[in-house]
Structure formats: C-alpha cells, structure tokens
C-alpha cells in the first residue's frame, strides 16, 4: 500500500471530520489528495501531530483523525501514553509506517528494526488497535474506527515508500485561521 492511495481513502471516509497531518509527506499528500479547510497541516512540527489531534478531540465531540508518521511518533512517544491516559472516544490515529524518516533521506527508523507501535499503544492502554498493510484492511479498520463510539483507535498502516510530491509550506497562521472557521459547536470551558 502506498501512502497516497491510503490518504485518498481516509479522506473519502472522513467526510467532514478534521484531519491533522504530520509534517512532510503526510501533509503534502493530504494536500494533493484534496485540500479542504478541515485539513490541519502541521508543517515544521515534528512529533506533535497526534498531540494536536488529542487536544482537538478533547475539545470537541467531533471525530478527529490524525495522520502521523512512524519517525515522528517515535520521537515523541509520550503522545501515545497521553492518548492512552485521556482515552478520547473520538480520536483515530493512523500511522503511515514506512519504517523510515522519509523526508530527511530515508534513514531506517526503529519500526524497521523491531519496534512495534501497535504494541506500544496497547501497553499504554489503547485497546482498539490494528496493523494493516493493504487498502482493503485499511478501509475496514478506518471505517470501523470512525463508526465506533469507543475510541481512541490506533491504526498502524504499513506502507511502501514511493516518493512524494512536495508542496510549498503552508503558513501555519492561515491553516489555523481556515481550520477554526470551519469548526462547529466547540465545547465551551466548563461544559
Ligand atoms: C524536532 C525536529 N527534529 C528533526 C526534524 C527534521 N525532520 C523533518 S521530517 C523528519 C522525518 C519524519 O519522519 P516520519 O514522521 O516517519 O515521516 P516521513 O518523512 O517518513 O513521512 C525529520 C527527522 C524536524 N523537523 N524537527
Ligand atoms: Mg516515516
């Protein structure tokens, strides 16, 4: 499975739901798959994609999807522990696992030498986990996750790195402005 076709699939299944994307290829391919104001690209922000998605999930009842990368999650594994502790029901993390730090030259990451992020998630108390390596299984896993009232969901999607088309960096301020303007029914402090 390639990240781009996986991204197209997730975008189709997401409907109106916000998608937060990891820096580099994950954001670039989300852009190419279909830019929408509910895409929150985290350019330059290594390791914080799923942390930002966790914060969003805790602030709204909408389904929130994080499209993270193996290298970034490895760099900030505490994110997985925080998701396991907070257990937001409306958060689905998909990790595009190409077993490398793709953007910086394709160096082999720890998932290429035995680290199993699904097991890490399990050990942090996240029970709805899957590892998939083809589009059919990804579709089943993401559909089930988005329909489930019992997140968080954690899906490791093993992908073949096939290169990617980059886009000019998107200004974080514009991403935030566009994104906020689409947000419906934010939870108020004290709710
Ligand atoms: C704090 C920090 N360290 C290093 C970098 C450089 N950097 C940018 S992307 C990247 C690799 C990210 O790997 P992964 O999350 O697996 O995504 P992939 O490129 O494989 O899609 C690195 C090391 C950075 N942007 N920020
Ligand atoms: Mg990677």
């Amino acid at each position: 499975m390639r990240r781009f076709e996986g991204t197209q699939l997730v975008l189709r299944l997401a409907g109106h739901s916000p998608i937060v994307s990891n820096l580099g290829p994950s954001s670039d391919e989300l852009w190419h798959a279909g830019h929408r104001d509910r895409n929150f690209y985290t350019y330059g922000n290594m390791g914080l994609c799923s942390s930002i998605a966790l914060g969003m999930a805790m602030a709204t009842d909408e389904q929130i999807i994080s499209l993270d990368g193996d290298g970034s999650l490895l760099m900030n594994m505490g994110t997985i522990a925080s998701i396991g502790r907070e257990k937001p029901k409306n958060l689905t993390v998909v990790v595009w696992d190409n077993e490398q730090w793709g953007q910086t030259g394709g160096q082999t990451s720890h998932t290429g030498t035995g680290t199993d992020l699904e097991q890490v998630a399990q050990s942090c108390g996240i029970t709805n986990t899957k590892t998939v390596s083809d589009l059919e299984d990804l579709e089943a896993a993401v559909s089930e996750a988005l329909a489930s009232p019992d997140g968080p969901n954690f899906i490791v999607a093993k992908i073949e790195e096939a290169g990617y088309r980059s886009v000019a960096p998107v200004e974080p301020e514009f991403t935030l402005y566009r994104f906020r303007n689409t947000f419906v029914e934010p939870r108020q402090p004290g709710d």
Side-chain angles (χ1 to χ4, degrees):
M1 168 170 56
R2 294 188 171 177
R3 181 179 41 239
F4 187 60
E5 53 198 14
T7 303
Q8 289 176 306
L9 175 65
V10 173
L11 189 58
R12 176 165 61 76
L13 296 176
H16 194 53
S17 295
I19 301 178
V20 187
S21 55
N22 189 37
L23 81 172
S26 299
S27 282
D28 291 337
E29 295 207 324
L30 179 59
W31 174 285
H32 284 296
H35 170 69
R36 69 217 241 285
D37 288 349
R38 290 209 135 197
N39 294 347
F40 195 89
Y41 312 103
T42 62
Y43 283 101
N45 203 356
M46 189 175 173
L48 292 177
C49 176
S50 293
S51 304
I52 292 169
L54 169 62
M56 282 183 195
M58 291 172 70
T60 178
D61 294 325
E62 291 192 69
Q63 288 287 346
I64 305 293
I65 301 165
S66 171
L67 297 182
D68 214 328
D70 56 307
S72 298
L73 256 190
L74 282 160
M75 197 188 75
N76 186 12
M77 262 202 213
T79 297
I80 306 176
S82 294
I83 292 170
R85 184 170 72 176
E86 299 300 333
K87 292 190 176 53
K89 293 181 180 301
N90 53 336
L91 176 62
T92 295
V93 175
V94 177
V95 188
W96 298 132
D97 186 0
N98 55 5
E99 303 185 352
Q100 60 181 258
W101 289 280
Q103 198 193 13
T104 48
Q107 302 88 351
T108 301
S109 81
H110 303 61
T111 60
T113 56
T115 302
D116 182 338
L117 288 173
E118 183 186 359
Q119 289 300 314
V120 174
Q122 281 281 339
S123 75
C124 291
I126 303 172
T127 53
N128 299 333
T129 66
K130 286 216 165 53
T131 296
V132 299
S133 54
D134 63 43
L135 274 182
E136 202 179 352
D137 288 349
L138 179 66
E139 177 158 20
V142 174
S143 303
E144 191 183 319
L146 295 179
S148 163
D150 281 323
N153 307 286
F154 190 92
I155 301 165
V156 177
K158 291 285 186 182
I159 55 166
E160 302 152 31
E161 185 56 63
Y164 63 100
R165 292 177 291 165
S166 54
V167 293
V170 178
E171 293 292 343
E173 293 84 354
F174 289 139
T175 294
L176 186 62
Y177 178 78
R178 279 197 305 259
F179 184 80
R180 276 194 174 146
N181 280 345
T182 71
F183 227 65
V184 290
E185 300 177 51
R187 195 179 285 164
Q188 299 302 314
D191 277 2

